Amino acid sequence: MTKYQLIAATGCPTGIAHTYMAQEALEQAAKAKGVTIKVETHGQIGVENELTQAEIEKADAVIIAADKDVHAERFAGKRVIEVSVSKGIKEASQLIDDALAGKGKVLGGDKSVSVAVLEKKENERKGIGHSIYKNLMNGVSHMLPFVVSGGVLIAISFLWGIYSADPENTQFNQFAATLKEIGGLAMGMMVPILSAYIAEGIAKRPGLVVGFVGGLVATNGGTGFLGGIVSGFLAGYVVLGLVKVFNVLPKSLDGLKAIFLYPVLGVAITGLIMYGIAGPMSAINEGMMDFLAGFENSSPLVLGVIVGCMCAFDMGGPVNKAAYVTGTALLAQGNTSFMAGVSAACIAPPLITGFAVLFFRKYFDTNEQNAGLVNFILGSTHITEGAIPFAAKDPLRVLPTMMLGSSIAAVLTYMFKVQVPAPHGGFLVLPVVTHGLLWVLAILAGSLVGGFLLGLIQKRRVEKIKATI
């Protein structure tokens, strides 16, 4: 890997001209002095010439010539000269001299070898696997605020009664109905946002709109969370393909490509493909619902294991939704037992991550520690999606753990003959749950077992990384 004496980041608010003028000025000034430099740009098309963690670590100094956020926290512990983008254009030569003379300030930050740093080094060795994970997590991290805000508002609306949003029912309350509608709108944005930011991670800004529209098609087609992932990756690579195809056009047409060719052709191609695959994915979903409804009167053990595995398998995706929609359909027919197991199995995954972080705190990075504790709230309000970041990180080991914990919770719920007459709300609907205390015990049992196992898995994972680096 090339070692650069200096590294730099440039960016202006519009990202059209000054960002690249500063890049060119710094590169020319460095070349004139015989200094190696790599300049990362934060322009209209997104981040280009991106600095790697290894390049940052090996560089002698950093120059930031920007009037916008360029993620300076990456340079913690490095000597940094920070100026406006215009100064980067006009005084590039002086900035190079100052950087070589050791001027600037050392940015603060934790340089200790944390779990996050260890995992980042491990991921950098994994290549394509890390790239897929990074882009998926870019989508998940932007999606979660929509899930949290929407899910909590819907759960709160049930405080006024299970049927408080139904104008035909005596429980109807206008405020509760409004809260539920707002929450539903936020939840409805989940898949498009997931898709948009997966595509943005792959193809930078041009991928954003293509991924968003692809996510809308996935939502309308009933493909759920998994459809959003498919459309996000599809949109990202469609835009990358278009970038290659139009690379032969003159650089003066870059603006036309960014605002016309990429979005128009990208949306058309991605949208048409998603329309083509949405039908089969939706049909598979309906088949799973019919399959599950057939086990309605099975033994608690068989039914609990099936419901638990389905609810934790994709946490908001078609398999999870098949179980949930079957539960709500049976609820409408007066069967309140089936939904009790579905709710328990949906509540358990985020609680599992919370207990894992609580028991094995030092083996999780800071973000995971915070997310795990927040998941106690999300799980309590029936927001399964809070566990997705943990599952996306290590699906082959985390998902079976979640499925085991959810199955235990669902099996015990059916054995205790719990009845839940509400389709959502988590522990907020406890006042209307039959055998509510036993229901909580069933969920805690599954969550504790799953949490302990998940913590052990993470502990072994971190120790293995330490041993190989």
Side-chain angles (χ1 to χ4, degrees):
M1 178 179 292
T2 306
K3 177 187 181 301
Y4 297 96
Q5 291 171 269
L6 302 178
I7 55 174
T10 65
C12 63
T14 58
I16 296 174
H18 288 75
T19 299
Y20 304 104
M21 290 166 68
Q23 176 197 20
E24 187 177 5
L26 287 168
E27 287 176 344
Q28 288 182 353
K31 185 178 179 182
K33 297 174 187 294
V35 176
T36 56
I37 189 171
K38 181 176 179 180
V39 185
E40 177 184 277
T41 55
H42 293 247
Q44 180 62 224
I45 205 164
V47 178
E48 294 177 282
N49 209 28
E50 190 171 1
L51 297 167
T52 66
Q53 186 63 34
E55 289 167 345
I56 294 171
E57 288 176 0
K58 290 178 181 177
D60 298 329
V62 183
I63 298 171
I64 297 177
D67 297 327
K68 63 189 289 188
D69 179 29
V70 293
H71 310 300
E73 65 277 6
R74 296 174 293 167
F75 309 129
K78 307 295 295 185
R79 185 164 293 282
V80 176
I81 295 176
E82 194 164 2
V83 297
S84 65
V85 69
S86 61
K87 208 165 184 176
I89 300 170
K90 297 172 185 172
E91 301 176 19
S93 181
Q94 184 61 50
L95 288 171
I96 298 291
D97 289 339
D98 290 347
L100 293 174
K103 293 184 179 179
K105 64 178 182 180
V106 176
L107 283 191
D110 184 7
K111 289 184 66 183
S112 61
V113 182
S114 62
V115 172
V117 171
L118 284 172
E119 292 188 339
K120 190 163 187 175
K121 287 184 175 179
E122 173 69 4
N123 286 333
E124 283 181 353
R125 297 193 311 162
K126 292 182 178 176
I128 185 70
H130 172 57
S131 175
I132 292 172
Y133 167 74
K134 185 183 73 172
N135 295 324
L136 176 61
M137 290 309 297
N138 191 48
V140 170
S141 65
H142 285 86
M143 174 195 77
L144 280 181
F146 290 84
V147 177
V148 173
S149 57
V152 170
L153 288 181
I154 290 172
I156 290 174
S157 74
F158 285 114
L159 290 176
W160 281 268
I162 299 167
Y163 305 105
S164 58
D166 182 1
E168 305 296 325
N169 195 283
T170 54
Q171 291 182 347
F172 177 72
N173 179 287
Q174 185 58 55
F175 182 67
T178 305
L179 276 185
K180 190 176 181 185
E181 184 180 352
I182 295 170
L185 289 171
M187 289 289 280
M189 294 299 292
M190 180 181 83
V191 172
I193 291 295
L194 170 69
S195 174
Y197 281 93
I198 289 175
E200 192 260 356
I202 297 169
K204 310 304 176 192
R205 189 169 297 183
L208 192 68
V209 65
V210 180
F212 190 83
V213 177
L216 286 173
V217 176
T219 300
N220 289 344
T223 61
F225 176 65
L226 286 183
I229 293 176
V230 171
S231 67
F233 280 101
L234 176 64
Y237 288 110
V238 163
V239 173
L240 283 186
L242 291 172
V243 170
K244 277 202 166 186
V245 168
F246 294 118
N247 204 27
V248 296
L249 296 179
K251 196 167 177 60
S252 58
L253 295 178
D254 278 0
L256 177 69
K257 288 189 277 185
I259 65 169
F260 185 79
L261 294 176
Y262 297 155
V264 172
L265 293 175
V267 166
I269 295 170
T270 304
L272 287 170
I273 294 176
M274 285 308 299
Y275 260 110
I277 64 176
M281 288 184 75
S282 183
I284 292 171
N285 201 38
E286 288 177 14
M288 284 189 291
M289 288 170 56
D290 294 338
F291 164 78
L292 190 54
F295 286 93
E296 180 186 355
N297 298 313
S298 300
S299 73
L301 181 62
V302 174
L303 183 60
V305 170
I306 293 173
V307 167
C309 289
M310 289 184 74
C311 289
F313 176 73
D314 55 357
M315 290 171 278
V319 179
N320 171 287
K321 284 291 181 281
Y324 180 76
V325 173
T326 303
T328 54
L330 292 174
L331 204 59
Q333 297 172 17
N335 183 336
T336 54
S337 299
F338 190 93
M339 193 67 210
V342 173
S343 294
C346 289
I347 291 170
L351 296 187
I352 287 172
T353 65
F355 282 122
V357 166
L358 207 60
F359 297 151
F360 296 86
R361 187 175 182 81
K362 69 178 183 178
Y363 296 105
F364 291 89
D365 65 38
T366 306
N367 288 333
E368 289 168 334
Q369 290 171 12
N370 295 334
L373 296 178
V374 169
N375 275 350
F376 279 118
I377 299 172
L378 301 188
S380 300
T381 50
H382 193 141
I383 303 175
T384 317
E385 288 85 348
I388 289 174
F390 292 84
K393 192 172 186 177
D394 189 12
L396 292 180
R397 281 176 285 196
V398 174
L399 283 179
T401 307
M402 301 282 186
M403 290 159 75
L404 174 65
S406 287
S407 295
I408 292 172
V411 167
L412 291 176
T413 296
Y414 291 131
M415 289 178 69
F416 294 152
K417 300 188 185 305
V418 177
Q419 294 182 325
V420 176
H424 208 282
F427 295 147
L428 291 178
V429 298
L430 266 176
V432 297
V433 174
T434 305
H435 304 312
L437 182 58
L438 291 174
W439 188 50
V440 174
L441 286 175
I443 295 169
L444 286 179
S447 303
L448 284 166
V449 171
F452 188 74
L453 289 176
L454 183 60
L456 278 179
I457 289 170
Q458 178 68 5
K459 178 186 174 187
R460 289 182 181 176
R461 183 167 178 264
V462 171
E463 288 176 345
K464 188 177 177 183
I465 294 172
K466 279 182 179 174
T468 54
I469 292 179

